[in-house]
Amino acid sequence: MTLPPLAPDTLDRLRRISTPTLTTQLFKAGFRNAFLAGVRPLCPDRRMAGEAVTVRFAPAREDRAGYEVLADPNYPQRHAIENIQAGQVLVMDCRGVGTAANAGDILVSRLQVRGAAGLVLDGGIRDYPSVQMFGFPVYALGPAAPAHVVRHVAVDENVPIGCAEVLVMPGDIMVGDGEGVVCIPRAVADKVATHGLEQEELEAFILEKIRAGAPLPGTYPPNEQTLAEYETWKRRRGTI
Amino acid sequence: MTLPPLAPDTLDRLRRISTPTLTTQLFKAGFRNAFLAGVRPLCPDRRMAGEAVTVRFAPAREDRAGYEVLADPNYPQRHAIENIQAGQVLVMDCRGVGTAANAGDILVSRLQVRGAAGLVLDGGIRDYPSVQMFGFPVYALGPAAPAHVVRHVAVDENVPIGCAEVLVMPGDIMVGDGEGVVCIPRAVADKVATHGLEQEELEAFILEKIRAGAPLPGTYPPNEQTLAEYETWKRRRGTI
Amino acid sequence: MTLPPLAPDTLDRLRRISTPTLTTQLFKAGFRNAFLAGVRPLCPDRRMAGEAVTVRFAPAREDRAGYEVLADPNYPQRHAIENIQAGQVLVMDCRGVGTAANAGDILVSRLQVRGAAGLVLDGGIRDYPSVQMFGFPVYALGPAAPAHVVRHVAVDENVPIGCAEVLVMPGDIMVGDGEGVVCIPRAVADKVATHGLEQEELEAFILEKIRAGAPLPGTYPPNEQTLAEYETWKRRRGTI
Amino acid sequence: MTLPPLAPDTLDRLRRISTPTLTTQLFKAGFRNAFLAGVRPLCPDRRMAGEAVTVRFAPAREDRAGYEVLADPNYPQRHAIENIQAGQVLVMDCRGVGTAANAGDILVSRLQVRGAAGLVLDGGIRDYPSVQMFGFPVYALGPAAPAHVVRHVAVDENVPIGCAEVLVMPGDIMVGDGEGVVCIPRAVADKVATHGLEQEELEAFILEKIRAGAPLPGTYPPNEQTLAEYETWKRRRGTI
Amino acid sequence: MTLPPLAPDTLDRLRRISTPTLTTQLFKAGFRNAFLAGVRPLCPDRRMAGEAVTVRFAPAREDRAGYEVLADPNYPQRHAIENIQAGQVLVMDCRGVGTAANAGDILVSRLQVRGAAGLVLDGGIRDYPSVQMFGFPVYALGPAAPAHVVRHVAVDENVPIGCAEVLVMPGDIMVGDGEGVVCIPRAVADKVATHGLEQEELEAFILEKIRAGAPLPGTYPPNEQTLAEYETWKRRRGTI
Amino acid sequence: MTLPPLAPDTLDRLRRISTPTLTTQLFKAGFRNAFLAGVRPLCPDRRMAGEAVTVRFAPAREDRAGYEVLADPNYPQRHAIENIQAGQVLVMDCRGVGTAANAGDILVSRLQVRGAAGLVLDGGIRDYPSVQMFGFPVYALGPAAPAHVVRHVAVDENVPIGCAEVLVMPGDIMVGDGEGVVCIPRAVADKVATHGLEQEELEAFILEKIRAGAPLPGTYPPNEQTLAEYETWKRRRGTI
């Protein structure tokens, strides 16, 4: 699968845009369901942006889910981690099960060593307190001690998946901040990056005005006069 | 994928065994999670047994889920129905969403005309009252008017799926009765069919005794004396 | 509040259209969330169409929810029933609580005597087995013996409400069949009624073809040739 | 444990009172939470009233929940059934798990043969279609094929339990009709039986008036004039 | 609506009483359901007490929920914020939906500038990490990036609402601490403030005794001797 | 009930093993469900290991759940706390209800003074911010202001219970760390303690290798060569 190219600075721009702003831009582009609700950062002060590669888990069954499968280098969970490219984000479809862990300190370390941009899953993380110390962007439902084999078996790599009830296609752009994760359909990533930065700047101006006592009407959303003031402010301040 | 053959009468036998008996046999074979909880028959008096073919749905997204995709003959939902073989059961992974419909009267009719053995999904059925009249084995979460595109997009055919939190592999055997559906891993289907029929007969004998006033201890589960009586009863009655 | 008029035959037409067809027409008109999921008919063979009047319930509190409030003729639950107009549908926002009853045989009888078109609620019904005998369109989450005061207090009449997570504005058109209930925004009711009947007829033709062995591709959705055949079929059959 | 005696006709009276009326009487006696929500009758046309005996289930564990435990005559599930007295109702605390079955056709038959008044559980029933034919009052969450050992182990008999989030003490009175089950604290059973029958008669009168066109205000709830009419009606009709 | 006056120091007192103590006092006054479960502080070290003003949200619909509605100064969400009085608490009925945000940094800043006492909602907050820095009492279900229009439309101001399944009447007193929020019916606020402070002092004494090794019986709850010791302790320590 | 003895250093060993490692050892010993999902530490940096004593709560009822019951020294909640032995862990079955508190600062202080090893419950804690300061191992669903009597009544002591859907038998070993709590069946505690420490050491070695750039295949899970390296590493490093 060859993916259409992104503009060279799109990932850098997206990394600087907050997830609330991204969801607003996606709403305006026709996408209402892009935020992975309930998926929370282990390192809230790290930002993340990168192309999605995916792993899919299905329900465990006694004949297929045991520790022995983990030694197979083609087991999708292990294979996807071992083959991730620098800058990519691994996204796992864990069917929203928070009571089992789809990765722990060793697997997250391998992702980090390989230069991955992050890990996103609608499942649990084990060794949670340790992984919080890694300074690596991990987004999950929360801590869970049991290994994934008590509930899941990995069955596929790099297919379209659902994660926290959001469609994630391989090659989509995952962006994370201290609030959570947004999936940006690849085809609109360049546009969202451009408009998103503009919105961030406008809202910084609006927030400044509101904190100085401006009323909501006319300020938020801004009317023409406020937009004109903004243009002046922006010129005075220099660009982003 | 070539599947290992089944014994010639396995499907016929399984169709005569109740789902409670099948779950007991599967428990004894090491499988604790085989019943598709919440998936209920539209025609409770039909029995079903057949090989699984699967379709997988992922969450809808505005750029991929609309009525226009349905005209593509390769759209997995439509392609799987159009290519089902006589005696197969179509199993759909609808992620447990009961508020949208993954099939209605027209698609179920096509399955019926093609000789499919049944339809199983952890999602909704539209035109539910009509489909109940078809005399065709359909098992679903319940009625739902909206077409699947409000919540889902079909993304795969004949891959391992979860359905009602049970793993279903293509080629597994789906058996349904008035209580619901069990998924039998293909490798144990012959054995389950044989032992299941024996259990059915033994429990018919035990039920007869209990209704005649026998106490539970010694009767259910049966001790050696009860098993000896059963052997006599069975010989007198002729075989299954 | 004066509501814009409906075309004279809109309600009659809507009553003849199935809820799956209505959700499809609403999807095409831009509305993805119109079906009241989980709200089921007590009389599945009755059809219902009428303008919504609404009652809103809030959580009970010991100082406001007791049997004594029911004697107040202005208590919204009682006042709305006593003042309903012939042909209207009473819709109650019960916050999705199925374990208490917002109406029983006496209140439903009063609605029926006054000529209401139906009752819709995302709550419970008490005296359920009796109400099922009334031949009156009631749609609810299921049976519940306790009166609403154990969980709710009625606080408003004829305001916008949520019912089963669908927005219902006073004056919207509620349509029900054996599958459930759809809320049609008043502004699109005429259009949905017209297009809906057309879709019903086309799908009757398609179902006939499918049951006669036609393949899905080209038939469902119909291509130009199938649409031409349909025109012929329709002329031969006479109009609706 | 010796239980305080009931008035001789209390059970007979309670069996004639609907569960909605019972919850109203209990509300007036200070009990807001007496209806076992979600627990539905398998034989909706049977009425049930009897003293509770209880069984408690805890989560299964591999070392304690297997088919072998069922042969122990002291296993609480089996022991309670084998020792139930005529007229008693067996109530099982299944922790609200609807996906496993805590009884099936054989155990229900044993209860029926022993003269039990009924079976109530917030769990599943297997052999559900057969048990529906028994004409025996069974109330459960729904059908489930797997035996209880996949989720539960029975750990206690005749202790206070929760069933569908309602406290049930051994000796409390369980009453069931087509709507569901109410648990009546033993200490108020006589009073509830007396007042409940009166309410049933009054509401029959009110329903008659409403169906004849009376308005809600003054009729329901009844004012003094309506109560006076009721007294006349009652005298004319003879007593209960 | 004119509200009955509060005693002059009631709000100051309530701000010093913990929410556990308040729920105990409310229980004793007959109110069992006053704590907004799941609604958590963004600034756990701030205390809050103030009169409720309310906003009600209903489910979004494509014809009513878009960014354009936000420019209307009468849109209830914006109007209520713009008109809040110093010392009031804005309470929003978000129907328990945690996956969309009903306010973010700009709206919270406007509340703060206007001198509001706090913001309480059973919904999400966007710009969550920033809002945590404001030192302003905000209580919500958690972070959520998407603006409220993906799930809600604001429909009413200053009506009775449910928030986290608790009834909130305009004018009720909302009190928050590091544990969460309690809604105190206005009519009992003075009494709860008085008795609550007394309970706080008594429990400080009891905690001191327990930490010094006193047994539970006689100490907690206190018997007459402990109460006598408490009176001595209180006199020695001076009053509150 | 006399419990089989533990090896003298089992508790000390278990206290040093992480809950993920313990769940892996239990999986290998045949136990798939040992982690108390959702039960989170108030003091994440404390470790806990001790024998379970249990308390069971049932649903509240107005005639049995009020503040007056708390004065009875035999009330199971109070009696169990007052009689706990040094080193024991009190485990409460709160039926997974997070919206009421089964303990607060005073009761936790009494446990701490008596030398208990910890408190575990699938319910809420009140005075949560204070209890977090105690440096005592408490594991709960989260903060909740209302006392338990709004939802529960304590009914039993030292019986088998469910806690967070895990069976806990009196005498089982509860181990907690910053991730959560595992229940170890007493019969396997010695073995799990021994093998668990070995696994901890091996995984420390593997993590070191992975962070140094080793690939997953052959390293995790380890092949024979890696295991040989580990033996060398272990000898060089000295024992645990």
Side-chain angles (χ1 to χ4, degrees):
Chain A
M1 175 170 42
T2 47
L3 296 165
L6 298 175
D9 57 355
T10 288
L11 291 180
D12 282 344
R13 287 174 177 232
L14 290 174
R15 207 177 289 110
R16 294 158 58 200
I17 304 173
S18 76
T19 54
T21 297
L22 292 171
T23 58
T24 296
Q25 288 304 320
L26 287 165
F27 187 97
K28 291 181 175 173
F31 296 94
R32 289 172 161 260
N33 181 36
F35 182 70
L36 280 65
V39 173
R40 307 280 298 119
L42 276 78
C43 294
D45 54 351
R46 295 294 151 123
R47 295 226 159 179
M48 173 190 83
E51 282 180 13
V53 294
T54 67
V55 167
R56 182 165 74 87
F57 289 89
R61 196 164 75 188
E62 288 82 351
D63 59 346
R64 296 193 172 259
Y67 279 88
E68 62 289 355
V69 299
L70 308 178
D72 177 358
N74 291 319
Y75 187 64
Q77 180 210 37
R78 301 300 167 100
H79 188 264
I81 291 172
E82 194 56 32
N83 291 279
I84 203 161
Q85 302 300 311
Q88 289 181 327
V89 174
L90 183 62
V91 189
M92 289 174 168
D93 174 350
C94 308
R95 302 176 297 114
V97 174
T99 58
N102 297 268
D105 56 7
I106 294 175
L107 296 184
V108 172
S109 291
R110 183 64 183 147
L111 283 170
Q112 194 170 14
V113 169
R114 284 195 59 80
L119 170 63
V120 175
L121 60 159
D122 63 344
I125 289 285
R126 69 200 309 209
D127 311 313
Y128 197 93
S130 308
V131 175
Q132 285 180 304
M133 299 297 133
F134 285 3
F136 181 71
V138 177
Y139 294 83
L141 295 184
H148 77 272
V149 291
V150 300
R151 290 295 303 275
H152 305 281
V153 57
V155 290
D156 253 331
E157 254 178 285
N158 247 4
V159 292
I161 60 171
C163 189
E165 283 298 297
V166 171
L167 181 70
V168 178
M169 306 286 293
D172 284 345
I173 308 304
M174 311 304 292
V175 184
D177 63 6
E179 196 126 289
V181 181
V182 167
C183 173
I184 305 176
R186 189 177 184 91
V188 299
D190 291 342
K191 190 175 75 173
V192 164
T194 304
H195 293 345
L197 271 190
E198 285 162 19
Q199 182 188 332
E200 293 269 292
E201 195 168 16
L202 172 58
E203 294 201 350
F205 169 74
I206 290 173
L207 182 57
E208 210 176 286
K209 275 186 72 87
I210 291 286
R211 295 198 76 85
L216 292 178
T219 311
Y220 185 62
N223 60 12
E224 299 211 348
Q225 187 193 323
T226 300
L227 288 173
E229 285 176 43
Y230 164 63
E231 292 301 326
T232 309
W233 176 87
K234 199 163 57 169
R235 275 195 303 276
R236 207 175 299 141
R237 192 198 194 200
T239 192
I240 310 179
Chain B
M1 176 171 39
T2 48
L3 297 164
L6 298 175
D9 57 354
T10 287
L11 290 180
D12 282 345
R13 287 174 178 233
L14 290 174
R15 205 178 290 109
R16 294 157 59 200
I17 304 174
S18 76
T19 55
T21 297
L22 292 171
T23 58
T24 296
Q25 288 303 321
L26 286 165
F27 186 97
K28 291 181 175 173
F31 297 95
R32 287 171 162 261
N33 181 35
F35 183 68
L36 281 65
V39 173
R40 305 279 298 122
L42 277 78
C43 294
D45 54 350
R46 293 294 152 124
R47 294 227 158 176
M48 172 189 83
E51 281 180 14
V53 294
T54 67
V55 167
R56 182 165 73 88
F57 289 89
R61 196 164 76 187
E62 289 82 350
D63 60 346
R64 297 195 170 258
Y67 278 89
E68 62 289 355
V69 301
L70 307 179
D72 176 358
N74 291 320
Y75 187 65
Q77 180 210 38
R78 302 300 166 101
H79 187 265
I81 292 172
E82 193 58 30
N83 291 279
I84 203 161
Q85 302 300 310
Q88 289 181 326
V89 174
L90 183 62
V91 189
M92 290 174 169
D93 174 349
C94 307
R95 303 175 296 116
V97 174
T99 60
N102 297 270
D105 56 7
I106 295 175
L107 296 184
V108 173
S109 291
R110 184 63 183 147
L111 283 171
Q112 194 170 14
V113 168
R114 285 194 58 79
L119 171 63
V120 175
L121 60 159
D122 62 345
I125 288 286
R126 70 201 308 208
D127 313 311
Y128 196 93
S130 309
V131 175
Q132 286 180 303
M133 299 296 134
F134 285 4
F136 180 72
V138 178
Y139 294 82
L141 294 184
H148 77 272
V149 291
V150 301
R151 289 295 304 275
H152 305 280
V153 56
V155 289
D156 255 332
E157 253 178 286
N158 246 6
V159 291
I161 59 171
C163 189
E165 283 298 297
V166 171
L167 180 71
V168 178
M169 306 287 294
D172 283 345
I173 307 304
M174 311 303 294
V175 184
D177 63 6
E179 197 127 287
V181 180
V182 167
C183 173
I184 304 176
R186 188 178 185 92
V188 299
D190 291 342
K191 189 175 75 174
V192 164
T194 303
H195 293 345
L197 271 190
E198 285 163 18
Q199 182 188 333
E200 293 268 293
E201 196 169 15
L202 172 59
E203 294 201 350
F205 170 73
I206 290 172
L207 182 57
E208 213 177 284
K209 274 187 72 87
I210 291 287
R211 296 199 73 85
L216 292 178
T219 313
Y220 184 63
N223 59 13
E224 298 210 351
Q225 187 192 324
T226 301
L227 287 173
E229 287 177 42
Y230 164 62
E231 291 302 323
T232 310
W233 176 87
K234 200 164 56 168
R235 274 194 305 275
R236 207 176 297 140
R237 192 196 194 203
T239 192
I240 311 178
Chain C
M1 177 169 40
T2 48
L3 295 164
L6 297 175
D9 57 354
T10 287
L11 290 180
D12 283 344
R13 286 175 178 231
L14 289 174
R15 205 178 289 109
R16 294 157 60 199
I17 304 173
S18 76
T19 55
T21 297
L22 292 171
T23 58
T24 295
Q25 288 303 320
L26 286 165
F27 186 97
K28 291 181 175 174
F31 296 95
R32 287 172 162 259
N33 181 34
F35 182 69
L36 280 65
V39 173
R40 305 280 298 120
L42 277 79
C43 294
D45 55 350
R46 293 295 151 122
R47 295 227 159 177
M48 172 190 83
E51 280 180 15
V53 294
T54 67
V55 168
R56 182 164 74 89
F57 288 89
R61 197 164 74 188
E62 288 82 351
D63 60 346
R64 297 196 170 257
Y67 278 89
E68 62 289 355
V69 301
L70 308 178
D72 176 357
N74 291 321
Y75 187 65
Q77 180 209 37
R78 301 302 166 99
H79 187 264
I81 292 171
E82 193 56 31
N83 291 279
I84 203 160
Q85 302 300 310
Q88 288 180 326
V89 174
L90 183 62
V91 189
M92 290 173 168
D93 175 349
C94 307
R95 304 176 296 115
V97 175
T99 58
N102 297 270
D105 56 7
I106 294 175
L107 296 184
V108 173
S109 292
R110 184 61 184 151
L111 283 170
Q112 192 170 16
V113 168
R114 284 195 59 79
L119 170 64
V120 175
L121 61 158
D122 62 344
I125 289 286
R126 68 202 308 210
D127 312 312
Y128 197 93
S130 309
V131 175
Q132 287 181 303
M133 299 296 135
F134 285 3
F136 181 71
V138 178
Y139 294 82
L141 294 184
H148 77 271
V149 291
V150 299
R151 289 295 303 275
H152 305 280
V153 56
V155 289
D156 255 331
E157 254 179 286
N158 247 6
V159 292
I161 59 170
C163 189
E165 283 297 297
V166 171
L167 181 70
V168 178
M169 307 286 294
D172 283 345
I173 308 305
M174 310 305 293
V175 184
D177 63 6
E179 196 126 288
V181 180
V182 167
C183 173
I184 304 176
R186 189 177 185 93
V188 299
D190 291 342
K191 189 176 75 174
V192 164
T194 304
H195 294 346
L197 272 190
E198 285 162 18
Q199 182 189 333
E200 293 269 292
E201 195 168 17
L202 172 58
E203 293 201 350
F205 169 75
I206 290 171
L207 182 57
E208 210 177 285
K209 275 186 72 87
I210 291 287
R211 295 200 75 84
L216 292 178
T219 312
Y220 184 62
N223 59 12
E224 298 211 350
Q225 187 192 323
T226 300
L227 288 172
E229 285 177 44
Y230 165 62
E231 290 303 324
T232 310
W233 176 86
K234 198 164 58 167
R235 275 195 304 276
R236 208 176 295 140
R237 192 195 193 204
T239 193
I240 310 179
Chain D
M1 177 169 42
T2 48
L3 296 165
L6 298 176
D9 57 354
T10 287
L11 290 180
D12 283 344
R13 287 174 178 232
L14 290 174
R15 206 177 288 110
R16 293 157 60 201
I17 304 173
S18 76
T19 54
T21 297
L22 292 172
T23 58
T24 297
Q25 288 304 321
L26 286 166
F27 186 97
K28 291 180 176 175
F31 296 95
R32 287 171 161 259
N33 181 36
F35 183 69
L36 281 64
V39 173
R40 306 279 299 123
L42 277 78
C43 294
D45 55 350
R46 294 295 152 121
R47 295 227 159 177
M48 172 189 83
E51 280 180 15
V53 293
T54 66
V55 167
R56 182 165 74 88
F57 289 90
R61 196 163 76 187
E62 288 83 350
D63 60 346
R64 297 195 171 257
Y67 279 89
E68 63 288 356
V69 300
L70 308 178
D72 176 357
N74 291 319
Y75 188 64
Q77 180 209 39
R78 301 301 166 99
H79 187 265
I81 292 172
E82 193 58 30
N83 292 279
I84 203 161
Q85 302 300 310
Q88 290 181 325
V89 173
L90 183 62
V91 189
M92 289 173 169
D93 174 349
C94 308
R95 304 176 296 115
V97 174
T99 59
N102 297 270
D105 56 7
I106 294 175
L107 296 184
V108 174
S109 291
R110 184 63 183 150
L111 283 170
Q112 194 170 15
V113 167
R114 284 194 60 79
L119 171 63
V120 175
L121 61 159
D122 63 344
I125 289 286
R126 68 202 309 209
D127 313 312
Y128 197 93
S130 309
V131 174
Q132 286 181 304
M133 299 298 134
F134 285 3
F136 181 71
V138 178
Y139 294 82
L141 295 183
H148 78 271
V149 290
V150 300
R151 289 295 304 274
H152 304 281
V153 57
V155 289
D156 254 331
E157 254 179 285
N158 247 6
V159 292
I161 60 170
C163 189
E165 283 298 296
V166 171
L167 181 70
V168 178
M169 306 286 294
D172 284 345
I173 308 304
M174 311 304 293
V175 184
D177 63 5
E179 197 127 287
V181 181
V182 167
C183 172
I184 305 176
R186 189 177 185 92
V188 299
D190 291 342
K191 189 175 76 173
V192 164
T194 303
H195 293 345
L197 271 190
E198 285 162 19
Q199 182 189 333
E200 293 269 292
E201 195 169 19
L202 173 58
E203 294 201 351
F205 169 75
I206 290 172
L207 182 57
E208 211 177 284
K209 274 187 71 87
I210 291 287
R211 296 200 74 84
L216 291 179
T219 312
Y220 184 62
N223 59 13
E224 298 211 349
Q225 187 193 322
T226 299
L227 287 173
E229 286 176 42
Y230 164 63
E231 291 302 323
T232 310
W233 175 87
K234 200 164 57 168
R235 276 194 302 276
R236 208 175 296 140
R237 194 197 191 202
T239 193
I240 309 177
Chain E
M1 175 170 42
T2 48
L3 296 165
L6 297 175
D9 57 354
T10 288
L11 290 181
D12 283 343
R13 287 173 178 234
L14 290 174
R15 207 177 289 111
R16 294 157 59 200
I17 304 173
S18 76
T19 54
T21 296
L22 293 171
T23 58
T24 296
Q25 288 303 322
L26 287 165
F27 186 97
K28 291 181 174 173
F31 297 95
R32 288 173 161 259
N33 181 35
F35 183 69
L36 281 65
V39 173
R40 305 279 299 120
L42 276 77
C43 294
D45 54 351
R46 294 293 151 124
R47 295 228 158 177
M48 173 189 83
E51 281 181 14
V53 294
T54 66
V55 167
R56 183 166 72 89
F57 289 89
R61 196 164 75 187
E62 289 82 350
D63 59 347
R64 298 196 169 256
Y67 279 89
E68 62 289 356
V69 301
L70 307 179
D72 176 358
N74 291 319
Y75 187 64
Q77 180 210 37
R78 301 300 167 100
H79 187 265
I81 291 172
E82 193 57 31
N83 291 279
I84 203 161
Q85 302 301 310
Q88 289 181 325
V89 174
L90 183 61
V91 189
M92 291 174 168
D93 175 350
C94 308
R95 304 177 295 115
V97 174
T99 59
N102 297 269
D105 56 7
I106 295 174
L107 296 184
V108 173
S109 291
R110 184 63 183 150
L111 284 170
Q112 193 170 14
V113 168
R114 284 194 59 79
L119 170 64
V120 175
L121 61 159
D122 63 344
I125 289 285
R126 68 201 310 209
D127 313 312
Y128 197 93
S130 309
V131 175
Q132 286 181 304
M133 299 295 134
F134 285 4
F136 180 71
V138 178
Y139 294 82
L141 295 183
H148 78 272
V149 291
V150 301
R151 289 296 302 276
H152 305 280
V153 57
V155 290
D156 254 331
E157 254 179 287
N158 247 5
V159 292
I161 60 171
C163 189
E165 284 297 299
V166 171
L167 181 70
V168 178
M169 306 286 294
D172 283 346
I173 307 305
M174 310 304 292
V175 183
D177 63 6
E179 195 127 290
V181 181
V182 167
C183 173
I184 304 177
R186 189 178 185 91
V188 299
D190 291 342
K191 190 175 74 172
V192 164
T194 303
H195 293 345
L197 272 190
E198 285 162 19
Q199 182 188 334
E200 293 269 294
E201 196 169 16
L202 173 58
E203 295 201 349
F205 169 75
I206 291 172
L207 182 57
E208 211 176 285
K209 275 185 71 86
I210 291 286
R211 296 198 75 85
L216 293 178
T219 313
Y220 185 62
N223 59 13
E224 299 211 350
Q225 187 192 325
T226 300
L227 287 172
E229 286 176 42
Y230 164 63
E231 290 303 322
T232 310
W233 175 88
K234 200 165 55 167
R235 274 195 305 275
R236 208 174 298 141
R237 191 197 194 203
T239 193
I240 310 181
Chain F
M1 176 170 42
T2 47
L3 296 164
L6 297 176
D9 57 354
T10 287
L11 291 180
D12 283 343
R13 288 174 178 233
L14 290 174
R15 207 178 289 110
R16 294 157 60 200
I17 304 173
S18 76
T19 55
T21 297
L22 292 171
T23 58
T24 296
Q25 288 304 320
L26 287 165
F27 187 96
K28 291 181 175 174
F31 296 95
R32 288 172 161 259
N33 181 35
F35 183 69
L36 281 64
V39 173
R40 306 278 299 120
L42 276 79
C43 293
D45 53 352
R46 294 294 151 124
R47 296 227 158 176
M48 173 189 83
E51 280 181 15
V53 294
T54 67
V55 167
R56 183 165 73 88
F57 289 89
R61 197 163 75 188
E62 289 82 351
D63 60 347
R64 297 196 170 255
Y67 279 89
E68 62 288 356
V69 300
L70 307 179
D72 176 357
N74 291 319
Y75 187 65
Q77 180 210 36
R78 301 300 166 102
H79 188 265
I81 292 172
E82 194 56 31
N83 292 279
I84 202 160
Q85 301 300 310
Q88 289 181 325
V89 174
L90 183 62
V91 189
M92 290 173 167
D93 174 350
C94 307
R95 302 176 297 115
V97 174
T99 59
N102 297 270
D105 55 6
I106 295 174
L107 297 183
V108 173
S109 291
R110 184 63 183 148
L111 284 170
Q112 193 170 14
V113 168
R114 285 193 59 78
L119 171 63
V120 175
L121 61 159
D122 62 344
I125 289 285
R126 67 200 312 208
D127 312 312
Y128 197 93
S130 309
V131 175
Q132 286 181 303
M133 299 296 134
F134 284 3
F136 181 72
V138 177
Y139 294 82
L141 294 183
H148 77 272
V149 292
V150 300
R151 290 295 303 276
H152 305 280
V153 56
V155 290
D156 254 332
E157 253 178 287
N158 247 6
V159 292
I161 59 171
C163 189
E165 283 297 298
V166 171
L167 181 69
V168 178
M169 306 286 293
D172 284 346
I173 307 304
M174 311 304 293
V175 184
D177 63 6
E179 196 127 289
V181 181
V182 167
C183 174
I184 304 176
R186 189 177 186 92
V188 298
D190 291 341
K191 189 175 76 174
V192 164
T194 303
H195 293 346
L197 271 190
E198 285 163 19
Q199 182 188 333
E200 292 269 291
E201 195 169 16
L202 172 59
E203 294 202 349
F205 169 73
I206 291 173
L207 182 57
E208 211 177 286
K209 274 186 73 87
I210 291 287
R211 295 199 76 85
L216 292 178
T219 311
Y220 185 61
N223 58 13
E224 298 211 350
Q225 187 192 325
T226 300
L227 288 173
E229 287 177 41
Y230 164 62
E231 291 302 325
T232 310
W233 175 88
K234 200 164 54 167
R235 276 195 304 274
R236 207 175 297 142
R237 192 197 193 203
T239 193
I240 310 178

